[in-house]
Amino acid sequence: MALLEVNSLSVEFGDGPNPFRAVDQVSYSVEKGEVVGIVGESGSGKSVSSLSIMGLIEYPGHVKAEGLTFDGQDLLSMPVKKRRALTGADIAMIFQEPMSSLNPCYTVEFQITEALKIHQGGRKKWRRERAIELLEQVGIPDPKSRLKAYPHQLSGGMSQRVMIAMAIACDPKLLIADEPTTALDVTIQAQIVDLLLELQREKNMGLVLITNDLALVAEAADRVIVMYAGQVVETGPAEEIFSTPRHPYTQALLRSLPESSQGKERLEALPGVVPGAFDRPKGCMLAPRCPYASERCQREVPMVSGDSLRQVRCFTPLDLQGKPAA
Amino acid sequence: MFQFIFKKLMLVVPTFIGITLLTFTLIRLIPGDPIEVMAGERGVSPERHAQLRAELGLDQPLLIQYKDYVVNIFHGDLGKSLITKTPVMEEFASLFPATVELATCAALFAVLVGLPAGIIAAVKRGSIFDHSVMTFSLTGYSMPIFWWALLLMLVFSVNLGWTPVSGRLDVTYWIDEVTGFMLIDTLLSGEEGAFASALHHLVLPSIVLGTIPMAVIARMTRSSMLEVLSEDYIRTARSKGMAPLRVIVVHALRNALIPVITVIGLQVGILLSGAILTETIFAWPGIGKWLIESIARRDYPVVQGGIMMVATIIIVVNLIVDILYGVVNPRIRHNK
């Protein structure tokens, strides 16, 4: 049984007859100790789908799903209190902007021990020692003196390390990292990713790595989920996705990497932007931007096809040569 | 910290110079002098008038009068009332507790009602509660104090008979003055019903005086809270799986209070100036009523000294607020 099973998850914003679907019937699963990468452009619903797993979608957002199970428990039907007991303990999350994700009014110690206090209780002294241990684990030098620091005294990389310490405080089974390196310097990015992967192996956590950095995913993830305009367009083992993309969008993403444009004057790009609330196409979401789009793509919505290992949402998935199937 | 307070104190000097100049000139710009007012309709002969002016030192050139006034301030002497001949300081000290009592109750009312109203309005934004709080506070803010006071008096004192119309205590009680605070003195006296009577007398004036600060605090708290609730660290707090109440009280409120505290501090000025109207309407024997009467009597030293004292208090309170601000906000504390 998978650690996390997401079955046909949708998140809609707004009331009325035409709410905006930020996440559209997304299904995937994460096994114990597995690293899953979710990639896609900004606005493709990566963050919103993971926030809904954490139960952090607020009104006017509505979360619907045929099934959302974590460790065999149905997250959507369980009482609110029980769900909160899981959130922050068994499922934890770190965010994109570490500097603004820490409360400026409280010390590092307060913010790390808070999760411990809520979920595990224990004596104050024990929590304090645990906080020092956690800071050590995330590679913060001289953790004891850092306990009394306020967020404004920390650098971006330090803040993200504190965020990670906070997230792993209760030994979660699943860690969701929402673009954990986007706001950081390039040199720090690598350190943070290494730290995350090291902790993941050590604790055998499931790790969902949300990012728009394809190189990072290629290096770190076991499996990759490609999202576009709120939908999953392709899933599969990381090597396969990168060597033989089957969805035109995945192909375009890979072609836009500098590595694939060597010797060319300009990087390749997919023209246009992700459709917003008011300009979503009728048929395939990618149709207006897809180089292979046929008339059928404009009219009909393609369904997901393929086996559980490799899935693609396209009428004419690409073959091994990167050409659309007839 | 020491340096910070010193810097703030240095800024106070020009403010004080301004206050002495303004009160000194403004009160003398009002037509008529104390002697004419004292004489009333009977009038006074020009010779007697000149004699009295000389006695009071009003025949000196203005610059000399101003110099005497400032020099006396440096000696801690605010002068004597031209009418009662008692030192201004003494009169101030005996009347001040009444104003403090009223202003404190008004401030308590403003904070205890305004803060929760603002918080709940922000958390339940768009709800009927939110809309009513915003409507009430806008009304409260824009309503003239005297009209609001008369309205409340009419309803609660005259029609319903719930509260007395004016004064600090029923005439049937005689309380020895110990602290000057009626609530404390009545308790100390042990006289039955006296405390309840004092409390009754406080209700309407406190509400009237506290209405504008309450409206300001409610609106400020709401907008500050709304801003904070959309911050990233609130999402982090929620991702730790804590109860919504803890998110609001521990993580949001602490941050939202930073601007609200400044606003509460600024309200002290409004409370003291508002006291002038409120005390006059409710015949409350405090500083406000005293100042109004002394202006009517052209009692120059009282007006000058009284305003100086009120200004000092406002400045001190604002200094305390500045220091408090650093306590709440670690970023400010560390920059000093």
Side-chain angles (χ1 to χ4, degrees), chain A residues 84-85 117 133 139 164 170 215 252:
Chain A
R84 276 210 302 269
K117 191 174 162 190
E133 214 175 279
I164 294 172
C170 298

Side-chain angles (χ1 to χ4, degrees), chain A residues 54 56 58 84 87-88 95 97 100-106 110-111 114 118-119 150 152-153 163 166, chain B residues 231-233 235-236 238-244 246 249-252 254-255 258 328 330-331 333-334:
Chain A
M54 291 291 289
L56 294 180
E58 269 199 283
R84 276 210 302 269
T87 311
F95 301 96
E97 299 280 347
S100 58
S101 293
L102 290 169
N103 193 326
C105 276
Y106 294 103
F110 179 93
Q111 301 193 50
E114 192 179 27
I118 293 166
H119 295 291
Y150 284 92
H152 69 272
Q153 297 166 317
M163 285 294 292
M166 250 160 60
Chain B
E231 292 282 351
D232 286 346
Y233 53 79
R235 189 184 52 193
T236 310
R238 292 174 62 222
S239 80
K240 286 186 194 168
M242 61 185 82
R246 187 179 162 94
V249 176
V250 177
H251 286 268
R254 175 89 184 258
N255 285 284
I258 294 170
V328 182
R331 277 163 294 187
R333 207 184 313 152
H334 288 284

